[in-house]
Every structure is written in C-alpha cells, then in structure tokens.
C-alpha cells in the first residue's frame, strides 16, 4: 500500500467468528491499513493470536466479542443446519437490542471513521445507527448461507433472513472477493483480486526446515483442525509420498509416513511447499491453492452454500480434484493423488486483493466515493435471480452468472428442451440420430428425447481424446467415459406429473386425478461384462487386478444445480450380503452416509428392489446416465420420474417385462424403503401409467386405475411455482403423514370401543328379552368396518363429523400417543416421541379431499 496519509484514520473491523478463513484474510487487509499509519480495532470471536502473531503493532486493538455464530459443524464435513439457526438466534437475534446499543456506544467512543465487516450483519446496522459509513468485504453473505437452512427448519424462521439482508443493505457498498455467491442485499459492488496471505519462506526453505528431500512427494492434509477421529493409515499413501497433517491433537498417533505440523505453523508457506493439498473447501484454502499453483483434492461439505462457487473456481482454473467421502475414509487416496499431480493450475489473476481493498477502505474513510456511477439495479436483479437459481435448484438458462458458475450449460441445452417447445425447429422422426442407430422403439418426435440422444452423440465425440476440452465440466468428462460407445445403450423416459385433484391424500387412499407434464427424466443404461467395463480410476483402485467384479457407475447431469456430487459408483457386491440382497434399512444407511451422493439411492435403489422383490440376479456391470428436466422441489414428482425412468431402463437392458402398475409399485418401494421418503404411490403411477393430454383417474388403494379422462382441446393446465420448496422426504410432509395415520388409529380404536359397548348393551337386552332392530345391526356393521379401517378416505365426511371429530385432538405428543395406542400402523414413518403432531387437520383433509374429487368427477363425467 502507498505512503501514509496526512491524517491517521480509525477503522472498526468486524470479523465473523466462523472458522479461521475470515480472520486470516482480514489480517492481510488490516496489515495494509496499519502499514499506512491507521488504527484498526478488530472485533471478532476468533482467537486473538490469529491477529497478534501476524501483526505486531501498537495501532492494532483486539476486542473479543461474538456477534454472529456462522455455521455449527458436527464434524469437519457436516454442517448442522438446525443447530446453526438455533445458535444464531441465541447469539444475534435474542440479544439484538442490547448488541446494537453496545456497538453504537462503542463505535462513538473510539471515534471510528469507517466500519468494515467480514461479514457480521449487525455491524452494518450499528454503523448506520451511529452515523458512520460501513463497507463489507466478503465472497458470501449469511443471508445466502442461512436461506437453505430455513428451508429445512421451516418458514417461521424466514424473518432471520430478512433481518440479515436488511442489515447488509445499510452499508455503502460491497468489496467483493473472487468465488463470490449472489448477494442482492448490497446496493453496490467493487470487485477486487484474491486476498491471500503472503509467503514468508520459499518452498526450498520450508522443505529444508522440515527435512523433506527433493525425492519425496508431499501431501498437505488440512481440514481446519477438525480430524473427527479419522484413522490415518500408512497404506493410504503411495510409495514415495509423505503427508503433513494440520491440526492433529497432541495425543493422536500417526503412521510413519504422516507428520504432525506445529499448531503455530504458518500454513501458506506449507501449502506452497507441498505438491498437493487434501481438505475441505473454504475461501482461505482455495485462494492459497490458486495463488501458489498447488492442486487441491477436496471433499464436499454438507449444506454450506459457499462451496459450489469456490469449487467451480477451482475447477475452472484446473486446480481441483474431488474425492468422494467414502474413499477419504477408507484410504483409497492413490488415484486422486495421481490425478492431482498431473494438473496444471492456470490461475493468472491478481493476488493483491488485500492491498487493493485497503486502498478502497482508506479512500472511503477519507470521503472519496467508490460507488459505481452505473445503476446497480440490474446487478442486484441478476444476483437475486442467481440466488433463487441456486436455492430453488431449478434448471434454467440465460442467467448472468460468473463464468466458473456457468455449470452444465451443454447439458441443459439438451436436457431441458420441452416436447411441446414450439420454438424448436421441426425434426423428422428419423430412425437415426447423429451417429446412433435406433434398434428398437421410437423417440415419438419428442424434442426432449431427440435432444437427449443428440447429447449422447456429443458425449461420444467428447470421449475421443482429440476432442478433449480442458474447460469441460467434470460431469461431462465422466459421462463421456461411462459407455462403450460401439455397444448397445438403452434409453428410457419418464415424465413428472401435475397433481390436479387428490393431492396429499394419496397415502390415505384417495381418488386422485393426475396429469403427466412435458418435463421428463431420461436415463441411458449399458450393461457390460466386468472385463469390458470402463472404470473411473478411483473405481479401478478398489478392484482386484486378477478378477474384475461387477460395478455400478452413475453420472447425474446437471447435478451441480443441487450441489450434488455428479458421479456415484459402488461394487455390485455391496448390494449382496451372504448371497442375498441386503436389507432396505442397510441400503438406506449406506446411501445416506454421504449427503452429496444420497441422490444415487433413487437410481441404484431400483436395482436392489428388483433383486429383493422379483429375485432378479445381476451379474454384469451397469453404467447409468441420468438427465432430468423435471424441476426439483416443486411438487411435480421429480424423484418419481427418476425412479420410473431408471427402473424402466434397467428392466429393458436386462430383458425384464414389468407392467406399468407393477413398475410403479416397485418404484414406490425405492422411495419408501431405500430413500426413506414416506410418499404414496400416486407419483410413480402418474409417471408410469399416465398419457399425454389425459388425466389419470386412480384410487390409491393401493393403485387401482379407474381410467383416463380426456382433456378437452380448449383447456390447458398450468403449474405456477409458489417459490415454496417441497420434498416428500422433508419434515413437514412426514409429520403430516404421521398425524393422518395417528388419526386413523384413533378412529379405529374409537370404533372398536363403541362395538364393545354395544355388545355389552345387547347382552343386557337379551337377558331382558329385547332384540336388536335392523338399524342397530346396520350400525354395528358400520362400526365393524370402521374398526378395521384400511384407508382414511373410506370414512365418509358424515361419519367423521358424527362419530369421530370430537375424539381427535388438535395436537398430540408422540410419546402420549404411543402410551395409549402403541403404534400408528404405518410401515414407512416413525413417530418421534418428543415431537408434537397435528392430528385433527391431517385426518380431516384426506376425508374431505376424497369426497371433493368424487363429487366433482361424478358431476362432470362418470368413470
């Protein structure tokens, strides 16, 4: 930074207490400010030594205060979303009034010229209340991070997001760091280069001090000091490698080729001296890997929304290799290390972001304006669109986003085409698509299917090394290497569905009317003898060289839209235990162990269900490519479309003939038992049995098709996105289902009790010589039916109101219900003893919804 200003300025620099990344980058900006003769008061919950060991100056003041809590991590790779929100409420929401009063008074007492925030929300509001300008320096904001947590916790927490965004809007502008997330709350933006900690020693000096010879390859193991009890073994490393471990505890024993680094080691020097780094993604690790050209082998974290943007930046500059969590924990590191050292990191941007940011802050505090003269509305609108794009997980196009976040553009161009898209040129129903010959079946002129087939041809071309493009997405390269392109590939298509009538009452046995939508999922599958199967390198590492065994490999195109891992693989033997298919419970635990790959349960689960329910034996390797244009989280059965398309493709490839109804019921087992989502069968039935321009009329007891209702040509159905995310695996859906089944059990128990009373009365009457009339017998028969009620929808609204509504509580705690009724007789949900469930409303809804559908249908068109 340039020479000292005439007047020393006072900066109040608020730094979030989440991790060390914010503190270490703030150190560099603070250093530049202090070198220019300014006074800096750092306010943070981060350890004081992070600042004082890097900066020794009387102009640095540390005030240790925790004003926000960041994300609560269960371990190095897992964020606890609910605990994160609870901690933030406890830290920043409940004491907000006193925090503001304290900070305003303190800012006035130090006579601050400018408030800087990285990226504490309340600091911006306190500055405004104190009449002081503020600026934020960051690559993400907490409103964006917490938005997904709110979707998991429930929308009653939305005011937290609004308050954070409002606080941020009080600052003058945002100094935006590379790898940024959308941040529409900020009025204006100034972009700066990477903020990176400078090196103190050369690579040669560091290796000499650590006693590392030039003949050794060095891996830096850096998970932010959170080793989580992982056992490190000598054979995790190939011959000739050593590993330097950051954050190891004093009592942790390491193998001979692993070495502990001192707690006070200066990490940037060690990063630059290493051949590659293994760890989790954060701004600090990514910026140092890019700046010093060190390949970064990373493992995904769950539910931290900053990560996709930094990950794409890493991959864009050829600096990142993703390791799946299973291989991290089981020690299959070699193929990832081999891949990493072949990379040629190509980041050529600036790394003087700290100096640039400090200059901007100094000018702003001195009264100079750095706000853009251009209107910021378009930028904020763009950020808001990208924010929705990321959080709602909706495939889309033409979104102005950073280049490294332009994911899956090629895939989207053929994945999202609509069969009814009138803007698409007419395509003849040829039996050949590019280099493919259709041996069986037809694409029926569906433009999305034709586009998918063309996409396969593009992937085939990409498989040729001559056509390799270093900027292709990882999922495209994985998909190109998936198939033997000269052999048969089976393709299946399954649509999503629009719930016209019947809705959530399907699992209660309602009559429903469902319409397939034009958006669909396509699945391509190929079976190969294990000796011919093309394997990814990390999958090869798990195979015995002497005898190749069958492997399942899956690629999900467009997976980054949902922050999922784009690939999944497992040995087929992983679905077998003692010669029999593994239990559904064991499979559910297996697929749930890595949330970034849990999506594979919808696909690979179809194989397990066919093994378990139909006794199918799979002996070949299976390669599967999944590409869905059905919007996720919008209540249009995106998961059912994946299941039906996957099972249809698996069945076709293995010569299985399964009737559509039976296939739907099998797919429901995938979702209920392998995925663990408590859905009814309506979604799978609509996808498997529905027809275009017709409504599928079905009684869900369990899946009886009544017929197809023609939609008149002058009528169109439109689904309007409410912006509320839907998931049959979500807590709200499961709680409502539990409440409905509790209500059914209470109805059955009440009916049984009434029968017992009637029997006692009848016995007394017979003793007295009286007999029952026909009406009493009918009443007894009705009660007997209701005592054995199989579906709530078989109870009429009249009977519900006359005999049961008063017996149903509005709410009931799980433990109280279990004490009285033992169980709720639902095999796909579990009652949480501590949870309080709504009972009356979930019981009433299916009864009246079924009546509404039947009445509407009988009035308009008898089936």
């Amino acid at each position: 930074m340039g020479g000292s200003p005439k007047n020393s300025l006072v900066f109040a620099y608020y730094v979030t207490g989440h991790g060390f990344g914010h503190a270490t980058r703030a150190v560099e900006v603070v250093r530049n400010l202090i070198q220019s003769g300014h006074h800096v008061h750092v306010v943070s919950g981060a350890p004081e030594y992070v600042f004082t060991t890097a900066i020794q100056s009387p102009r640095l003041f540390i005030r240790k205060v925790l004003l926000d809590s960041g994300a609560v991590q269960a371990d190095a790779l897992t964020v606890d979303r609910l605990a994160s929100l609870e901690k933030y409420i406890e830290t920043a929401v409940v004491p907000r009034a006193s925090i503001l009063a304290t900070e305003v008074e303190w800012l006035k007492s130090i006579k601050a010229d400018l408030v800087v925030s990285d990226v504490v929300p309340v600091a911006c509001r306190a500055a405004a209340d104190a009449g002081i300008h503020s600026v934020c320096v960051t690559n993400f904001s907490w409103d964006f991070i917490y938005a997904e947590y709110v979707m998991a916790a429930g929308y009653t927490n939305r005011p937290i997001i609004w308050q954070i965004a409002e606080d941020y809007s009080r600052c003058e502008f945002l100094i935006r760091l590379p790898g940024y997330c959308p941040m529409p709350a900020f009025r204006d933006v100034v972009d700066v280069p990477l903020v990176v900690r400078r090196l103190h020693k050369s690579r040669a000096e560091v290796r000499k001090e650590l006693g590392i010879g030039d003949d050794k390859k060095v891996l830096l193991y850096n998970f932010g000091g959170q080793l989580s009890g992982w056992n490190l073994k000598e054979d995790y490393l190939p011959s000739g490698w050593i590993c330097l471990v950051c954050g190891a505890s004093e009592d942790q024993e390491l193998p001979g080729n692993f070495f502990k680094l001192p707690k006070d080691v200066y990490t940037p020097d060690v990063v630059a001296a290493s051949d590659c780094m293994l760890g989790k993604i954060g701004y600090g690790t990514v910026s140092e890997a890019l700046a010093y050209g060190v390949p970064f082998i990373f493992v995904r974290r769950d539910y931290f929304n900053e990560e996709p943007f930094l990950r794409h930046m890493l991959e864009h500059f050829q600096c990142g290799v993703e390791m799946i969590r299973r291989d991290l924990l089981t020690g299959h590191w070699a193929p990832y290390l081999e891949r990493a050292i072949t990379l040629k990191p190509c980041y050529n941007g600036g790394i003087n972001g700290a100096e640039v940011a400090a200059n901007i802050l100094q000018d702003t505090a001195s009264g100079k304006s750095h706000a853009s003269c251009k209107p910021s509305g378009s930028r904020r609108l763009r950020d808001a669109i990208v924010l929705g794009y990321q959080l709602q997980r909706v495939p889309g196009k033409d979104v102005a986003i950073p280049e490294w976040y332009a994911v899956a553009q090629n895939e989207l161009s053929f994945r999202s085409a609509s069969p009814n898209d009138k803007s698409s040129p007419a395509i003849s129903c040829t039996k050949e698509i590019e280099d493919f010959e259709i041996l069986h079946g037809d694409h029926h002129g569906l433009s999305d299917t034709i586009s998918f087939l063309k996409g396969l041809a593009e992937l085939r071309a990409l498989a040729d090394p001559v056509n390799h493009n270093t900027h292709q997405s990882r999922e495209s390269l994985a998909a190109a290497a998936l198939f033997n392109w000269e052999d048969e590939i089976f393709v299946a298509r399954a649509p999503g569905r629009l719930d016209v009538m019947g809705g959530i009452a399907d699992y209660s046995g309602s009559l429903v009317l469902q319409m397939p939508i034009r958006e669909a999922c396509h699945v391509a599958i190929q079976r190969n003898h294990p000796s011919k199967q093309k394997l990814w390198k990390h999958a090869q590492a798990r195979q015995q060289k002497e005898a190749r065994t069958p492997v399942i490999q899956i690629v999900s195109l467009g997976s980054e839209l949902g922050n999922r891992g784009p690939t999944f693989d497992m040995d087929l033997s992983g679905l077998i235990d003692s010669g029999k298919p593994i239990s559904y419970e064991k499979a559910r635990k297996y697929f749930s162990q890595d949330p970034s790959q849990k999506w594979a349960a919808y696909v690979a689960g179809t194989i397990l269900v066919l093994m378990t329910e139909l006794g199918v034996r799979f002996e070949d390797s299976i390669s599967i490519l999944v590409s869905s244009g059905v919007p996720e989280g919008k209540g249009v059965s995106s998961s059912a479309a994946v299941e039906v398309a996957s099972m249809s493709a698996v069945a076709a490839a293995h010569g299985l003939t399964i009737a559509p109804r039976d296939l739907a019921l099998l797919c429901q087992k995938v979702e209920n038992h392998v995925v663990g989502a408590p859905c009814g069968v309506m979604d799978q039935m609509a996808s498997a049995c529905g027809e275009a321009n017709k409504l599928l009329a079905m009684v869900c007891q369990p899946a009886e098709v009544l017929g197809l209702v023609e939609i008149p040509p002058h009528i169109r159905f439109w689904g309007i996105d409410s912006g509320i995310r839907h998931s049959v695996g979500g807590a709200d859906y499961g709680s409502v289902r539990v409440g409905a089944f509790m209500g059914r059990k209470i109805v059955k128990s009440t009916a049984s009790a009434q029968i017992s009373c009637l029997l006692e009365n009848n016995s007394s009457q017979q003793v007295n010589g009286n007999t029952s009339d026909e009406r009493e017998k009918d009443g007894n028969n009705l009660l007997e039916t209701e005592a054995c009620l199989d579906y709530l929808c078989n109870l009429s609204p009249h009977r519900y109101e006359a005999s049961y509504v008063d017996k149903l509580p509005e709410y009931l705690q799980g433990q109280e219900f279990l004490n009285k009724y033992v169980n709720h007789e639902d095999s796909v949900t579990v009652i949480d003893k501590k949870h309080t469930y709504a009972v009356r409303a979930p019981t009433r809804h299916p009864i009246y919804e079924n009546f509404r559908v039947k009445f509407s249908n009988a009035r308009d068109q008898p089936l």
Side-chain angles (χ1 to χ4, degrees):
M1 194 167 172
S4 299
K6 294 180 179 178
N7 298 315
S8 178
L9 300 168
V10 176
F11 293 87
Y13 208 124
Y14 288 79
V15 183
T16 186
H18 175 78
F20 284 178
H22 296 265
T24 54
R25 72 188 182 196
V27 162
E28 293 302 310
V29 181
V30 171
R31 185 202 315 278
N32 279 273
L33 291 171
I34 288 176
Q35 285 177 350
S36 294
H38 304 304
H39 293 76
V40 181
H41 295 256
V42 174
V43 183
S44 179
E48 186 172 328
Y49 73 82
V50 175
F51 303 95
T52 55
T53 56
I55 306 171
Q56 293 84 38
S57 171
R59 292 191 294 274
L60 173 65
F61 306 89
I62 307 296
R63 177 170 165 250
K64 190 164 184 179
V65 180
L66 185 65
L67 298 179
D68 68 350
S69 54
V72 176
Q73 294 184 222
D75 56 48
L77 298 176
T78 306
V79 172
D80 188 327
R81 293 174 291 178
L82 301 184
S84 296
L85 285 178
E86 290 171 1
K87 184 66 174 177
Y88 185 80
I89 292 170
E90 175 189 334
T91 304
V93 177
V94 174
R96 178 177 173 82
S98 62
I99 288 174
L100 282 172
T102 300
E103 295 310 304
V104 169
E105 182 180 355
W106 178 76
L107 288 171
K108 290 179 177 178
S109 71
I110 66 169
K111 299 180 180 178
D113 294 293
L114 184 70
V115 171
V116 186
S117 179
D118 182 1
V119 64
V120 181
V122 75
C124 303
R125 176 58 186 266
D129 289 354
I132 303 168
H133 291 313
S134 63
V135 174
C136 285
V137 183
T138 187
N139 65 303
F140 76 84
S141 55
W142 288 113
D143 53 340
F144 176 68
I145 302 298
Y146 287 156
E148 183 174 332
Y149 303 176
V150 165
M151 288 192 287
Y155 280 77
T156 56
N157 291 300
R158 279 183 292 181
I160 295 173
I161 308 301
W162 299 335
Q163 185 65 70
I164 292 174
E166 184 181 343
D167 285 348
Y168 286 144
S169 71
R170 302 299 181 112
C171 80
E172 295 299 303
F173 58 90
L174 163 68
I175 295 178
R176 188 168 62 179
L177 305 180
Y180 54 83
C181 303
M183 294 177 276
F186 296 98
R187 290 180 290 169
D188 214 335
V189 165
V190 177
D191 288 308
V192 299
L194 281 176
V195 173
V196 187
R197 288 186 285 178
R198 60 183 182 173
L199 297 181
H200 292 168
K201 299 174 183 178
S202 69
R203 172 186 171 93
E205 289 173 327
V206 173
R207 292 174 75 103
K208 183 177 180 180
E209 286 183 5
L210 295 174
I212 302 171
D214 293 336
D215 60 327
K216 294 291 185 181
K217 293 290 184 184
V218 178
L219 171 67
L220 178 62
Y221 185 89
N222 184 8
F223 280 89
Q226 295 173 308
L227 294 183
S228 304
W230 299 336
N231 293 320
L232 302 174
K233 299 180 181 179
E234 186 172 352
D235 61 2
Y236 285 9
L237 297 175
S239 177
W241 282 80
I242 64 170
C243 182
L244 305 178
V245 181
C246 292
S249 61
E250 294 181 3
D251 59 348
Q252 183 175 4
E253 295 184 5
L254 296 177
N257 50 356
F258 287 75
F259 302 91
K260 295 179 187 178
L261 289 171
K263 285 190 175 182
D264 60 351
V265 69
Y266 189 62
T267 308
D269 286 348
V270 185
V271 171
S274 302
D275 293 286
C276 61
M277 176 166 53
L278 171 60
K280 62 182 180 181
I281 284 181
Y283 182 85
T285 51
V286 169
S287 63
E288 287 164 8
L290 290 171
Y292 305 124
V294 177
F296 187 4
I297 303 170
F298 60 87
V299 183
R300 292 184 188 229
R301 279 189 292 176
D302 308 331
Y303 313 124
F304 201 76
N305 294 340
E306 172 197 22
E307 184 173 301
F309 299 86
L310 294 172
R311 184 172 66 244
H312 292 310
M313 186 166 66
L314 266 181
E315 294 179 344
H316 178 79
F317 292 113
Q318 302 300 297
C319 199
V321 175
E322 180 174 352
M323 177 186 285
I324 61 176
R325 188 178 303 190
R326 182 172 75 248
D327 286 343
L328 169 73
L329 300 178
T330 56
H332 291 287
W333 294 6
Y336 300 98
L337 296 174
E338 292 168 5
R339 169 62 179 152
I341 60 176
T342 66
L343 295 181
K344 300 184 185 303
C346 58
Y347 180 76
N348 56 3
I351 59 173
N352 63 332
E355 181 180 350
V356 174
N359 275 317
I360 294 171
L361 294 172
Q362 175 181 292
D363 289 347
T364 304
S366 301
K368 296 180 182 178
S369 175
H370 272 271
S372 172
C373 59
K374 298 179 180 179
S376 63
S378 59
R379 192 272 312 165
R380 297 179 74 185
L381 176 59
R382 183 199 67 191
D383 272 10
I385 291 172
V386 180
L387 176 64
Y389 175 81
Q390 173 70 0
L391 294 180
Q392 296 298 329
R393 312 295 192 240
V394 177
K397 301 179 187 177
D398 302 321
V399 180
I401 55 179
E403 183 180 0
W404 52 81
Y405 189 61
V407 296
Q409 293 300 309
N410 293 333
E411 288 81 352
L412 287 173
S413 66
F414 72 82
R415 183 168 66 86
S416 300
S418 291
N420 301 347
D421 188 355
K422 296 182 180 179
S423 64
S424 302
I427 305 175
S428 62
C429 293
T430 177
K431 295 293 284 185
E432 293 187 10
I433 299 291
E434 299 284 338
D435 298 326
F436 290 102
E437 180 183 359
I438 299 177
L439 301 177
H440 178 73
D442 199 340
H443 51 59
H444 300 291
L446 296 170
S447 62
D448 61 339
T449 300
I450 294 171
S451 293
F452 178 76
L453 296 176
K454 287 187 173 183
L456 289 179
E458 293 171 6
L459 291 173
R460 177 183 181 178
L462 184 61
D464 187 339
V466 176
N467 297 325
H468 276 184
N469 184 333
T470 57
H471 291 294
Q472 285 289 341
S473 67
R474 190 164 63 88
E475 62 188 38
S476 295
L477 294 173
L482 190 63
F483 297 126
N484 293 316
W485 293 102
E486 301 304 320
D487 296 337
E488 288 184 348
I489 296 173
F490 294 82
V491 176
R493 176 185 187 274
R497 65 97 187 98
L498 191 65
D499 173 30
V500 178
M501 297 183 79
I504 201 173
D506 65 334
Y507 53 70
S508 292
S510 177
L511 169 64
V512 298
L513 293 176
Q514 304 297 305
M515 185 188 78
I517 58 176
R518 64 188 184 185
E519 289 78 15
C521 173
H522 289 84
V523 170
I525 186 171
Q526 185 177 75
R527 55 184 290 198
N528 286 296
H529 188 274
S531 63
K532 292 181 62 180
Q533 172 78 342
K534 296 174 68 175
L535 293 177
W536 300 317
K537 287 185 178 179
H538 65 269
Q540 290 176 10
R542 291 198 297 270
Q543 292 277 307
Q544 297 290 334
K545 293 183 179 179
E546 313 82 51
R548 294 269 290 269
T549 57
V551 173
I552 301 170
Q553 293 189 142
I554 310 172
V555 176
S556 173
L557 292 179
S559 62
E560 298 291 2
L561 299 175
N563 194 21
R564 296 186 297 267
T567 63
F568 172 85
D569 64 275
M570 68 178 296
D571 294 340
L572 187 60
S573 59
L575 298 178
I576 304 292
D577 185 13
S578 301
K580 297 180 180 180
I582 62 173
S583 68
Y584 289 145
E585 181 181 2
K586 187 173 181 179
R588 185 163 62 250
K589 290 179 179 178
Y590 176 84
F591 288 111
S592 298
Q593 63 187 354
D594 185 352
S596 72
Q597 293 195 314
K598 186 177 179 180
W599 60 267
Y602 294 96
V603 184
T606 63
I607 296 172
L608 177 62
V609 167
L610 289 172
M611 294 166 62
T612 303
E613 305 298 329
L614 300 186
V616 180
R617 294 176 60 88
F618 294 94
E619 298 177 348
D620 289 334
S621 291
I622 303 172
S623 299
I624 305 174
L625 177 66
V626 181
S627 178
S628 183
V630 184
E632 295 180 38
K634 303 301 176 186
V636 289
S637 301
S638 58
S639 59
V642 171
E643 292 155 0
V644 171
S646 297
M647 188 171 287
S648 298
V650 171
H654 292 82
L656 305 175
T657 301
I658 306 175
R661 178 185 180 275
D662 295 336
L663 187 136
L665 290 168
L666 291 169
C667 288
Q668 185 196 17
K669 290 184 180 293
V670 175
E671 187 135 8
N672 286 171
H673 302 303
V674 182
V675 177
C679 71
V681 74
M682 172 183 76
D683 299 351
Q684 290 80 7
M685 283 291 292
S687 185
C689 305
E691 294 183 16
N693 301 315
K694 295 178 182 178
L695 297 179
L696 177 71
M698 178 181 71
V699 176
C700 302
Q701 299 189 18
E704 310 310 320
V705 175
L706 300 184
L708 293 163
V709 180
E710 291 277 356
I711 300 174
H714 64 280
I715 292 178
R716 293 287 183 271
F717 287 89
W718 291 84
I720 300 175
D721 182 7
S722 66
I724 306 259
R725 185 165 172 79
H726 168 81
S727 170
V728 294
D732 291 343
Y733 184 98
S735 295
V736 171
R737 175 166 176 149
V738 169
F741 277 81
M742 281 181 168
R744 182 175 71 113
K745 184 63 177 280
I746 293 171
V747 167
K748 293 173 65 175
S749 179
T750 301
S752 296
Q754 290 181 7
I755 290 172
S756 297
C757 290
L758 288 173
L759 289 174
E760 291 178 6
N761 291 336
N762 288 341
S763 298
S764 299
Q765 289 176 2
Q766 289 174 3
V767 170
N768 296 326
N770 299 325
T771 58
S772 301
D773 61 19
E774 289 299 319
R775 286 190 301 176
E776 287 182 352
K777 290 180 180 179
D778 290 342
N780 288 347
N781 291 337
L782 199 56
L783 285 173
E784 288 173 359
T785 300
E786 291 164 358
C788 300
L789 189 67
D790 48 0
Y791 294 97
L792 268 177
C793 290
N794 291 337
L795 183 66
S796 70
H798 169 73
R799 288 291 299 161
Y800 168 77
E801 296 290 348
S803 302
Y804 301 109
V805 66
D806 293 336
K807 306 296 189 299
L808 294 165
E810 289 283 355
Y811 298 93
L812 188 61
Q813 190 182 48
Q815 183 64 69
E816 186 180 350
F817 175 87
L818 292 172
N819 289 342
K820 187 172 183 179
Y821 299 102
V822 183
N823 64 68
H824 66 323
E825 299 177 353
D826 181 19
S827 62
V828 299
T829 58
V830 177
I831 294 177
D832 182 347
K833 295 178 181 179
K834 297 180 180 180
H835 187 77
T836 298
Y837 295 91
V839 175
R840 186 178 295 177
T843 304
R844 182 184 189 277
H845 173 78
I847 295 168
Y848 277 87
E849 178 68 0
N850 182 59
F851 178 78
R852 182 178 75 92
V853 179
K854 283 185 173 180
F855 176 78
S856 300
N857 197 59
R859 180 188 61 191
D860 297 333
Q861 179 182 345
L863 294 172

